[in-house]
Amino acid sequence: MDPLDVMMTKEKVIPYYQPIFSADKQLVVGYEVLARLQTEEGDKSLGWFFQDKNIPDEYRLELDEHIQKRALDDFMGTDQSTFLFFNYDTSLLLKDNGDTFIKTLESYQQKGLKLQQIVLELKEDDVAEHFFDNKHFFYYIQSFGFRLALDDVGHNGSNLDLIAMFKPNIIKVDVSFMEDEEFPHLYSEVHQSLSMLSRKIGATLLFEGVSSFSQLNYAWRNGGRYYQGFYLRSPSSTFVEPGCCREKMQKEFHHFIVYERKKMEAQFTLTNDLTTQLKQTMKTFSPDDTYDEMIKKVAKDCDRYAFRIYVCDAEGFQQSSNAEKNDQKEWVLLEEGRFKNWSWRPYFLENIMRMNIEKRGFLSDLYTDIERDERIRTYSYPISDNLYLFLDIPYNYLFEQEGLL
Ligand code: CA
């Protein structure tokens, strides 16, 4: 279709609203406004019109303004208390210093619109392209009181530094690329980091493109507070009843929780088994055992769980060699590990403190062992107030048990 035709039939361009749901209340928390063209064959998406940078800026600005006004009329006419999300091309916004958009909002503000209910969506790639030359502009538009969402985050790999500086209120991640795939755990690692960063800078993580049960599960597991997608509700020309997905979400959350609980139980069981085993083994320690003799005894007794064992003091200095299982499944002592320091590792000191206070062993999260390049967990146990045992559990073992991956 020709862009000019769209402009000629502007009155047939109407807003559609895709509901966004919040995990905490399971209610509609907002709507993303999407442009649709009414045709004889039904309403057609106009996404292409706004993404095509060859279409003259004036056209796109004019149609944006048209859609925003239609949407704001609907929004205020039906007295919504939710957010309204508008997409905007960053370079268009920069071109007129945000004037068109801000003027539109201000004209509705006089009619009672609260700017805090408006969310402006800008694509991460576009913001990345313009941020460093226009920092003042981006801080300036944050001063009006509407919210900012960074859209399509992680599309081409994430710019964590950009996100930290831009400080969006909402971070939108599209999960539709995962359709029908076994989710590679790598995505999950990236989205977990994004979730941590969001938490640190006070942003809310929103997963969009949710079109299946497993994608909703993925969003829930990775710290998403808001969800958007066909699986919950398709866009429509009207606003929906806020509680329309409440029952469905509660039911799904229940499934997620039952499943996660089983995984946690498996981790507790393994922790307990290892603790029982270690207590037994420690009874065989004699006062003149060297640290290496101790870990050899542990290796013998914990053979089926471990591929690497060592002990550290409370400051993270390794006191023993590494006991490691070689390719022939024999335990060997590797001396070069001794006196290395591990206190720089994430969670290390926190873990030592917990062992010290609670006097019990802990199982780590799943992480990738640098040397073996495989996902492992580490079990740690306080042998004394100043001596801590670390036992690395291989992927193979975790894989064979239910719920440890
Ligand atoms: Ca969007």
Side-chain angles (χ1 to χ4, degrees):
M1 193 172 191
D2 196 273
L4 197 58
D5 291 338
V6 177
M7 297 309 292
M8 303 287 279
T9 51
K10 202 170 83 175
E11 74 284 357
K12 293 216 180 299
V13 178
I14 58 161
Y16 259 50
Y17 305 103
Q18 184 159 37
I20 295 162
F21 296 87
S22 82
D24 38 350
K25 290 188 176 165
Q26 308 100 49
L27 297 177
V28 173
V29 72
Y31 296 91
E32 178 171 354
V33 177
L34 304 162
R36 293 280 197 271
L37 180 67
Q38 294 176 310
T39 72
E40 296 189 347
E41 299 100 65
D43 299 344
K44 298 245 165 84
S45 169
L46 273 180
W48 60 272
F49 184 97
F50 295 97
Q51 274 149 37
D52 186 348
K53 304 212 174 185
N54 293 319
I55 295 176
D57 292 349
E58 307 83 67
Y59 286 9
R60 289 191 291 149
L61 274 174
E62 190 183 326
L63 208 60
D64 259 335
E65 200 185 352
H66 165 77
I67 277 293
Q68 284 155 14
K69 287 186 168 166
R70 292 282 302 254
L72 286 166
D73 286 339
D74 286 354
F75 189 70
M76 297 196 58
T78 51
D79 196 19
Q80 301 293 322
S81 60
T82 56
F83 296 122
L84 200 57
F85 289 66
F86 290 120
N87 290 290
Y88 219 99
D89 182 328
T90 304
S91 53
L92 276 187
L93 193 70
L94 274 167
K95 202 159 234 175
D96 74 349
N97 226 8
D99 275 356
T100 313
F101 183 67
I102 289 163
K103 283 219 175 78
T104 304
L105 289 187
E106 282 175 344
S107 68
Y108 281 85
Q109 203 178 9
Q110 284 158 11
K111 300 178 200 164
L113 176 72
K114 295 191 187 78
L115 291 192
Q116 308 89 279
Q117 284 181 263
I118 300 303
V119 183
L120 177 64
E121 289 192 20
L122 302 174
K123 288 195 189 306
E124 183 192 26
D125 284 354
D126 296 341
V127 174
E129 187 184 332
H130 298 288
F131 187 78
F132 291 97
D133 295 332
N134 301 281
K135 270 192 197 162
H136 289 294
F137 172 73
F138 288 103
Y139 295 135
Y140 158 76
I141 56 165
Q142 288 183 337
S143 66
F144 285 88
F146 53 81
R147 287 159 203 258
L148 284 173
L150 208 51
D151 199 5
D152 259 352
V153 170
H155 185 67
N156 289 324
S158 281
N159 307 289
L160 293 183
D161 52 345
L162 175 80
I163 297 172
M165 279 184 281
F166 184 62
K167 289 188 98 185
N169 303 95
I170 294 167
I171 295 174
K172 293 189 81 169
V173 179
D174 193 338
V175 291
S176 58
F177 69 95
M178 300 174 164
E179 225 164 332
D180 303 326
E181 273 180 49
E182 267 302 290
F183 304 139
H185 67 86
L186 273 180
Y187 289 124
S188 185
E189 313 298 357
V190 171
H191 291 147
Q192 286 286 351
S193 319
L194 214 48
S195 155
M196 300 300 264
L197 178 64
S198 308
R199 193 171 157 266
K200 297 272 183 205
I201 63 170
T204 297
L205 200 54
L206 183 160
F207 285 91
E208 65 176 330
V210 175
S211 59
S212 66
F213 174 82
S214 47
Q215 286 169 343
L216 182 64
N217 178 247
Y218 182 88
W220 177 85
R221 267 191 296 128
N222 287 284
R225 181 182 179 194
Y226 295 162
Y227 317 123
Q228 173 185 351
F230 297 102
Y231 185 65
L232 292 167
R233 202 43 77 116
S234 303
S236 72
S237 59
T238 54
F239 299 110
V240 297
E241 199 274 302
C244 64
C245 275
R246 194 163 201 195
E247 214 171 301
K248 178 175 179 156
M249 288 175 76
Q250 288 179 351
K251 219 166 85 194
E252 312 281 48
F253 286 179
H254 175 70
H255 289 305
F256 302 162
I257 291 165
V258 168
Y259 181 72
E260 291 302 318
R261 216 177 250 162
K262 272 193 192 138
K263 286 175 69 173
M264 285 179 202
E265 276 164 18
Q267 292 167 36
F268 281 122
T269 307
L270 177 60
T271 308
N272 286 341
D273 291 352
L274 278 163
T275 302
T276 311
Q277 179 57 62
L278 270 176
K279 281 185 176 157
Q280 285 296 325
T281 307
M282 278 168 62
K283 286 183 192 151
T284 69
F285 289 177
S286 75
D288 27 86
D289 273 354
T290 62
Y291 295 138
D292 282 2
E293 280 164 337
M294 286 183 194
I295 59 172
K296 268 162 73 183
K297 288 180 178 169
V298 176
K300 185 170 151 284
D301 289 353
C302 296
D303 183 64
R304 68 191 199 95
Y305 301 107
F307 70 92
R308 184 193 292 132
I309 295 163
Y310 55 96
V311 290
C312 288
D313 68 14
E315 296 198 345
F317 285 100
Q318 187 168 330
Q319 302 296 306
S320 68
S321 306
N322 279 347
E324 286 196 33
K325 208 187 266 185
N326 65 17
D327 294 340
Q328 287 78 45
K329 312 261 182 236
E330 291 155 348
W331 285 95
V332 290
L333 286 177
L334 303 173
E335 265 188 61
E336 73 264 16
R338 190 176 292 153
F339 304 128
K340 278 188 182 171
N341 187 276
W342 302 111
S343 61
W344 52 271
R345 282 188 167 182
Y347 310 119
F348 186 89
L349 285 177
E350 187 192 339
N351 188 24
I352 294 280
M353 283 298 285
R354 285 175 72 190
M355 285 195 273
N356 233 333
I357 291 165
E358 298 185 33
K359 309 281 180 223
R360 64 182 184 92
F362 290 95
L363 193 64
S364 79
D365 62 346
L366 207 55
Y367 68 99
T368 301
D369 184 68
I370 292 176
E371 276 172 38
R372 287 167 66 111
D373 192 25
E374 67 177 47
R375 281 183 299 155
I376 67 165
R377 288 182 188 270
T378 297
Y379 171 79
S380 46
Y381 186 83
I383 296 180
S384 72
D385 282 349
N386 193 37
L387 206 59
Y388 303 86
L389 181 111
F390 294 87
L391 184 151
D392 290 341
I393 306 165
Y395 181 82
N396 272 345
Y397 179 84
L398 300 172
F399 179 76
E400 282 161 14
Q401 315 295 312
E402 195 79 37
L404 291 177
L405 285 179

